[in-house]
């Protein structure tokens, strides 16, 4: 049996992004864990804006925080820091077991490594010993583990070994990837100073037509790269290495791709014949991605905008509802006015078609309207009792 040995040294780390979720409880300990991890990542070449720190009340909330950060799909690793000091009640055991099981389950279920940085000690001195004292620095160790796991994950993806993300039937349609497709389709990117990851100037003449079936994400795009005009397809991924995870490097159907648009540039990608494909980085800020994921990614579980609406001033809500009401009335009026013109001023026929459309509700409104138009009211009246 061959042994998988990831090539850690040759993997880029400068574009990686890490989130740290830290508990405020025993903050004089957890703050040192966080600072030790930050300094280690900075010394390893991480930019300041590639390390995001989020605070939660206590250790029990760390699992939820980690799962929410993973859902944004913008982080290569998540580190959780907390400190639980044993007391006279069983509370210590319950908290430790809850967090340990939660983080373990996350690592088993998802494709982003979550680094366990919870100190479980008998007294405060044992905790202090582990943030730069005789027992080392657990914050530094957590950061080093995070970097090793990022390298491991990237090396594994380049070998063709499947990951949880690549095995998921929903992987081509993740929330962040859909957001990037929307931005690309509607030309919402900054139009000035677009450049490939190699520094070549890029001009988008036509982003292409969105493809919802198999194959590249956008067909028939027209793009100028370094003064040369290209016509072909565009593929969009969250990570550049997704190209390998999805098997595009060996698929001739993707040889027509002229530009690879990514949120994270973690590797170069090639066509099946070995040619390098130009790559454009279109990164989403963590806050923008989180807000989009809250509104779109959670729509199947709750009302995504509930919290936002609840925090809006009443006068804004009143104006908004009034504007929506008028917009709805005008839309219905225009539809009925169009039917009336089509029916030659026959109000009864226009009313008949409108009622038929209403019986179809939202999903079948158009088919019911077409059925009523193809079955005129006079025909029905002819056969009535």
């Amino acid at each position: 049996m061959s042994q998988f040995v990831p090539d850690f040294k040759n993997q880029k780390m400068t574009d990686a992004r890490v989130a740290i979720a830290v508990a405020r409880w025993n903050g004089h300990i957890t703050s040192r864990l966080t600072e030790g991890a930050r300094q280690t990542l900075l010394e390893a070449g991480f930019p300041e804006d590639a390390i995001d720190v989020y605070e939660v009340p206590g250790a029990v909330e760390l699992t939820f925080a980690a799962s929410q950060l993973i859902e944004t799909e913008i982080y290569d690793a998540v580190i959780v820091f907390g400190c639980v000091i044993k007391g006279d009640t069983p509370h210590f055991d319950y908290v430790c077991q809850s967090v340990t099981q939660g983080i373990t389950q996350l690592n088993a279920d998802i494709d982003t490594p979550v680094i366990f940085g919870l100190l479980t000690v008998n007294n405060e001195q044992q905790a202090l010993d582990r943030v730069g004292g005789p027992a080392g620095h657990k914050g530094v160790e957590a950061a080093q583990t995070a970097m090793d796991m990022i390298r491991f994950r990237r090396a594994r993806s380049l070998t063709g070994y499947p990951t949880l993300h690549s095995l998921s039937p929903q992987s081509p349609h993740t929330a962040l990837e859909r957001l990037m497709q929307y931005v690309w389709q509607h030309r919402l990117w900054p139009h000035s100073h677009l450049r490939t990851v190699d520094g070549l100037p890029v001009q988008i003449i036509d982003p292409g037509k969105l493809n919802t079936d198999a194959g590249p994400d956008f067909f028939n795009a027209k793009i100028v790269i370094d003064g040369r005009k290209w016509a072909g397809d565009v593929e969009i991924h969250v990570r550049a290495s997704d190209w390998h995870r999805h098997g595009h490097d060996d698929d001739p159907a993707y040889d027509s791709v002229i530009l690879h648009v990514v949120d994270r540039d973690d590797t170069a990608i090639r066509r099946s014949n070995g040619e390098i494909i130009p790559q454009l980085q279109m990164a989403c800020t963590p806050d923008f991605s989180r807000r989009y994921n809250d509104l779109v990614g959670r729509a199947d579980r709750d009302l995504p905008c509930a919290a936002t609406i609840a925090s809006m001033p009443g006068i804004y809500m009143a104006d908004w509802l009034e504007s929506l009401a008028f917009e709805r009335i005008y839309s219905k009026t225009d539809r009925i006015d169009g039917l009336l013109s089509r029916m030659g001023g026959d109000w009864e026929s226009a009313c008949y078609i409108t009622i038929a459309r209403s019986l179809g509700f939202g999903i079948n409104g158009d088919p019911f309207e077409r059925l009523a138009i193809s079955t005129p009211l006079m025909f029905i009246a002819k056969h009535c009792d």
Side-chain angles (χ1 to χ4, degrees), residues 98-136:
S98 171
V99 180
T100 302
Q101 290 180 346
I103 300 303
T104 300
Q105 191 63 47
L106 280 178
N107 277 315
D109 291 343
I110 49 86
D111 198 29
T112 300
V114 181
I115 312 305
F116 187 83
L118 179 69
L119 295 184
T120 55
V121 293
N122 292 319
N123 53 61
E124 183 179 16
Q125 186 57 50
Q126 287 184 350
L128 293 172
D129 290 345
R130 287 159 174 77
V131 287

Side-chain angles (χ1 to χ4, degrees), residues 81-246:
F81 285 134
C83 177
V84 185
I85 301 175
K86 191 170 186 178
D88 298 327
T89 67
H91 180 70
F92 172 85
D93 299 318
Y94 298 147
V95 172
C96 296
Q97 183 178 11
S98 171
V99 180
T100 302
Q101 290 180 346
I103 300 303
T104 300
Q105 191 63 47
L106 280 178
N107 277 315
D109 291 343
I110 49 86
D111 198 29
T112 300
V114 181
I115 312 305
F116 187 83
L118 179 69
L119 295 184
T120 55
V121 293
N122 292 319
N123 53 61
E124 183 179 16
Q125 186 57 50
Q126 287 184 350
L128 293 172
D129 290 345
R130 287 159 174 77
V131 287
H137 201 304
K138 299 304 177 183
V140 172
E141 293 177 15
Q144 292 170 341
T145 301
M147 289 187 286
D148 282 346
M149 292 308 296
I150 292 171
R151 294 187 183 105
F152 175 85
R153 185 181 183 280
R154 291 182 174 182
R156 184 174 176 83
S157 70
L158 295 178
T159 64
Y161 280 71
T163 62
L164 290 174
H165 183 76
S166 66
L167 292 174
S168 169
Q170 298 298 323
S171 59
H173 306 286
T174 59
L176 181 54
E177 203 164 282
R178 289 197 302 269
L179 172 60
M180 294 175 65
Q181 290 174 351
Y182 182 87
V183 170
W184 181 262
Q185 181 182 10
H186 297 281
R187 300 170 175 265
L188 301 179
W189 62 80
H191 291 269
S192 59
H193 308 299
L194 280 180
R195 291 184 177 274
T196 67
V197 296
D198 298 322
L200 301 179
V202 177
Q203 179 186 358
I204 314 299
I205 300 174
D206 185 347
K209 183 178 180 181
L210 179 64
N211 170 39
T212 57
D213 295 322
D217 292 324
F218 289 86
F219 290 149
N220 302 322
K222 296 178 180 62
I223 300 170
V224 178
I225 302 176
D226 197 25
R228 186 175 181 181
K229 188 173 181 180
W230 295 83
D233 303 331
V234 173
E235 179 70 4
I236 294 178
H237 284 127
V238 175
R239 301 178 180 88
S241 55
D242 288 341
W243 180 273
H244 302 284
R245 274 192 292 275
H246 298 165

